[in-house]
């Protein structure tokens, strides 16, 4: 039934795919963290905030896969699939992180804003020294959840030909006629990464919930 | 514009498949969420362990990987070929059901203890307590997150195109290959996805309002049509299906 020799043989290739998956996740996540924060702040600006909100709403309610394939087909062929994948993943998830930041910012007590104004702090210090440190601390666990969510969305890069885990598995499985082993291994590798990270996030949650 | 109107019937066929996948997946996810969520809220360690294993395994594997496994590995391993659409529904249901089970478990645990104590004082059976006291209260609490999950599931149905289901995404690809009009072909599909999401959001809002009314609470987010169209708030662990 299960071919162990074959399993060992393909492991290096699969791990290479997993490494690309992790890289795509981390880079996309950094974009989502930065862009999400910028969006959450712009959303407080009249008019411009409304337009940005509508655009993000559209991005959030349409499938990531379609967005990926669409951008891949429209972009010039000199841009690599990996770059497109990372950027689209990051922008898609910034629609989610923006909402998380927003809830954190709205959770900051009104008195804090008023105190900053009373001290006539410039906007930069109001955000940088008063509001954001309080807001971000509270939303760290929620942001962490999106890191795991993104990791589980990276197999979609398969659709635009990035050599991530699932792509490798499909190639090797088809070449050796061993699809059961390949897809089961991919499932296991996903669990090996996502279960420990879920435990880590739960720890973070407990640590920051106490504050 | 003319391009899209001419090909609207094809797009609607694709959208119909997407809706079927969404409804089928949601129904399966709902049943699984209720069963494993209730098991997870029990005192005995065995049902709780069963629920934890289900949740961690199916939440930890991406829906696309599950779908590939169902479509390509299962027939080889068991000699039993699922129809593409059915395989997609099972994979989506198992995946989203795991997220839902956590929501159900949390909602049941959030029902105030005094409520449960009162049912014990009244000598109610476990079934009576769950059906008459715990679930109606937990229900109102789980609905907003369920709303998010339904949207996530609808978005994740696009993945079924990769195992050969003729959904909305497949139609967009077909259009592109047939005409070379990449932008119009895809924007058309994206708009339809957006519209389906808006209908789902409104529907979930209606359910939420009804559940709150039955408990004698005023719905959150105000009343009237504008409140219906608001996107439900994003909660901590609710997102990221697909």
């Amino acid at each position: 039934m299960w071919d162990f020799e074959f399993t060992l043989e393909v492991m290096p290739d699969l791990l290479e795919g997993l490494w690309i998956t992790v890289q795509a996740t981390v880079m996309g996540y950094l974009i989502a963290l930065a862009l999400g924060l910028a969006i959450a702040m712009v959303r407080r600006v009249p008019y411009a905030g409304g337009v940005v909100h509508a655009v993000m709403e559209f991005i959030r309610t349409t499938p990531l896969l379609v967005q990926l394939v669409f951008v891949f087909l429209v972009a010039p062929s000199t841009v690599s699939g990996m770059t497109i994948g990372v950027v689209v993943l990051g922008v898609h998830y910034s629609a989610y992180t923006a909402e998380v930041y927003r809830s954190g910012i709205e959770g900051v007590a009104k008195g804090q804003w008023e105190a900053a104004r009373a001290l006539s702090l410039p906007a930069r210090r109001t955000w940088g020294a008063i509001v954001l440190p309080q807001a971000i601390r509270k939303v760290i666990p929620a942001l962490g959840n999106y890191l795991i969510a993104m990791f589980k969305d990276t197999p979609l890069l398969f659709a635009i030909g990035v050599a991530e885990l699932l792509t490798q598995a499909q190639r090797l499985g088809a070449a050796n006629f061993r699809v059961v082993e390949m897809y089961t291994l991919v499932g296991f590798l996903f669990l090996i990464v996502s279960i420990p990270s879920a435990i880590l996030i739960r720890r973070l949650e407990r640590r920051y919930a106490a504050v | 514009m003319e391009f899209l109107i001419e090909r609207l019937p094809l797009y609607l066929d694709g959208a119909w498949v997407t809706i079927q996948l969404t409804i089928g997946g949601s129904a399966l996810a709902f049943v699984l969420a209720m069963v494993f969520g209730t098991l997870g809220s029990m005192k005995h360690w065995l049902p709780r362990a069963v629920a934890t294993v289900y949740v961690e395994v199916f939440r930890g594997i991406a829906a696309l990987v599950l779908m590939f496994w169902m479509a390509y590995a299962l027939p080889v391993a068991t000699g039993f070929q699922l129809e593409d659409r059915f395989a997609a529904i099972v994979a989506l249901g198992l995946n989203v059901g795991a997220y839902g089970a956590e929501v159900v478990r949390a909602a049941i645990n959030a029902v105030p203890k005094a409520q449960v104590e009162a049912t014990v004082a009244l000598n109610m059976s476990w079934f009576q307590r769950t059906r008459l006291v715990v679930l109606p209260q937990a229900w109102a609490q789980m609905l907003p997150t369920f709303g998010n999950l339904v949207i996530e599931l609808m978005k994740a149905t696009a993945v079924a195109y990769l195992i050969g289901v003729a959904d909305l995404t497949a139609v967009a690809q077909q259009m592109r290959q047939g005409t070379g009009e990449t932008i119009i072909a895809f924007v058309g599909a994206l708009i339809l996805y957006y519209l389906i999401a808006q209908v789902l959001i409104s529907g979930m809002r209606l359910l939420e309002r009804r559940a709150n009314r039955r408990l004698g609470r005023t719905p959150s987010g105000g009343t009237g049509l504008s409140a219906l169209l608001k996107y439900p708030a994003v909660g901590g662990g609710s997102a990221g299906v697909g």
Side-chain angles (χ1 to χ4, degrees):
Chain A
M1 261 310 274
W2 187 280
D3 190 340
F4 280 100
E5 226 167 277
F6 175 70
T7 307
L8 283 178
E9 208 177 290
V10 294
M11 235 355 166
D13 281 6
L14 278 187
L15 289 178
E16 205 175 295
L18 183 65
W19 175 232
I20 290 180
T21 299
V22 170
Q23 277 179 313
T25 310
V26 171
M27 288 194 283
Y29 189 59
L30 291 179
I31 294 178
L33 281 185
L35 189 61
L37 182 59
I39 291 164
M41 287 166 72
V42 170
R43 275 198 58 187
R44 298 183 71 87
V45 179
Y47 304 114
V51 174
V52 169
H53 177 58
V55 172
M56 291 331 271
E57 179 95 353
F58 188 83
I59 292 179
R60 192 164 61 161
T61 49
T62 50
L64 176 59
L65 174 68
V66 183
Q67 294 169 4
L68 274 172
V69 176
F70 178 47
V71 175
F72 181 68
L73 291 170
V74 172
S77 54
T78 46
V79 187
S80 77
M82 181 73 171
T83 311
I84 289 168
V86 166
V87 170
V88 174
L89 258 178
V91 172
H92 187 86
Y93 271 90
S94 69
Y96 288 91
T97 52
E99 285 300 302
V100 174
Y101 283 122
R102 189 180 59 92
S103 73
I105 292 169
E106 280 175 4
V108 174
K110 224 178 154 197
Q112 302 283 325
W113 289 95
E114 287 165 359
R117 168 153 295 184
L119 294 168
S120 73
L121 290 182
R124 252 187 89 155
R125 299 241 2 232
T126 308
W127 280 105
I130 314 283
V131 178
L132 290 184
Q134 298 182 60
I136 291 177
R137 192 178 172 80
K138 261 185 287 184
V139 298
I140 286 174
L143 289 176
N145 278 324
Y146 285 108
L147 177 61
I148 303 182
M150 270 180 91
F151 173 69
K152 279 177 278 186
D153 265 349
T154 44
L156 294 181
L157 300 192
F158 159 80
I160 56 171
V162 176
E164 49 68 64
L165 186 52
L166 187 64
T167 316
Q168 295 279 37
Q170 211 221 12
R171 183 175 61 81
L172 293 163
N176 302 288
F177 303 104
R178 301 235 64 110
V179 280
V180 181
E181 280 89 343
M182 292 320 295
Y183 291 129
T184 311
L185 281 174
V186 171
F188 270 118
L189 286 175
F190 262 88
L191 286 180
I192 286 172
V193 178
S194 60
I195 290 181
S197 33
I199 293 171
L200 198 77
I201 300 289
R202 225 168 289 156
R203 286 231 181 107
L204 272 179
E205 220 157 57
R206 232 171 283 148
R207 191 166 144 195
Y208 288 96
V211 183
Chain B
M1 212 56 223
E2 215 173 285
F3 177 92
L4 282 182
I5 292 167
E6 239 170 65
R7 291 163 179 80
L8 195 60
L10 285 168
Y11 273 98
L12 290 182
D13 282 348
W16 175 231
V17 174
T18 295
I19 291 169
Q20 284 175 335
L21 294 178
T22 308
I23 293 174
S26 300
L28 178 61
F30 179 73
V31 173
L32 290 171
M34 280 305 197
V35 169
F36 285 100
T38 313
L39 286 179
S41 72
M42 286 178 172
K43 261 201 209 121
H44 197 276
W45 65 270
L46 184 65
R48 266 192 311 161
V50 171
T52 307
V53 169
Y54 166 71
V55 168
E56 292 304 340
V57 168
F58 287 102
R59 206 169 55 161
I61 302 175
L64 177 55
V65 176
L66 266 179
M67 225 178 263
F68 267 57
W69 199 88
M70 296 266 170
Y72 301 130
L74 191 70
V76 181
T78 63
F80 190 71
Q81 173 93 54
L82 293 178
E83 206 246 326
D84 289 345
R85 232 178 272 189
F86 188 67
I89 286 175
V90 172
L92 290 168
L94 281 170
N95 185 226
V96 178
Y99 284 89
E102 277 297 279
V103 177
V104 172
R105 188 183 60 82
I108 290 178
N109 287 343
V111 172
K113 248 210 167 113
Q115 297 281 332
V116 177
E117 283 162 9
T119 63
V120 175
L122 290 170
N123 202 22
M124 282 185 172
S125 68
W126 182 87
F127 266 104
Q128 284 174 314
R129 179 208 306 168
T130 305
R131 193 171 64 86
L132 298 171
V133 179
V134 176
L135 276 188
Q137 295 183 55
W139 179 241
Q141 174 142 8
M142 40 183 123
L143 273 180
T145 324
F146 274 176
N148 283 339
L149 287 179
V150 170
I151 305 292
E152 292 299 329
L153 192 144
M154 187 280 287
K155 283 162 57 185
T157 59
V159 164
Y161 142 73
L162 293 175
I163 61 165
V165 177
D167 74 335
L168 194 44
T169 308
V171 172
Q173 278 285 27
Q174 239 174 289
M175 288 296 128
R176 182 189 72 87
Q177 279 153 4
T179 63
E181 300 270 7
T182 308
I183 295 178
I184 303 177
F186 273 83
V187 168
L190 284 169
I191 289 174
L192 276 173
Y193 274 115
Y194 177 75
L195 291 178
I196 296 172
Q198 297 310 310
V199 172
L200 290 173
I201 290 169
S202 312
M204 290 308 288
R205 283 264 139 176
L206 275 179
L207 276 181
E208 253 174 72
R209 281 213 241 172
R210 217 185 58 164
N212 277 311
R213 242 197 333 261
R214 276 198 358 213
L215 293 173
R217 296 177 191 156
T218 36
S220 62
T223 49
L225 199 64
S226 62
L228 263 187
L229 294 171
K230 249 190 247 161
Y231 196 85
V234 174
S238 63
V241 180

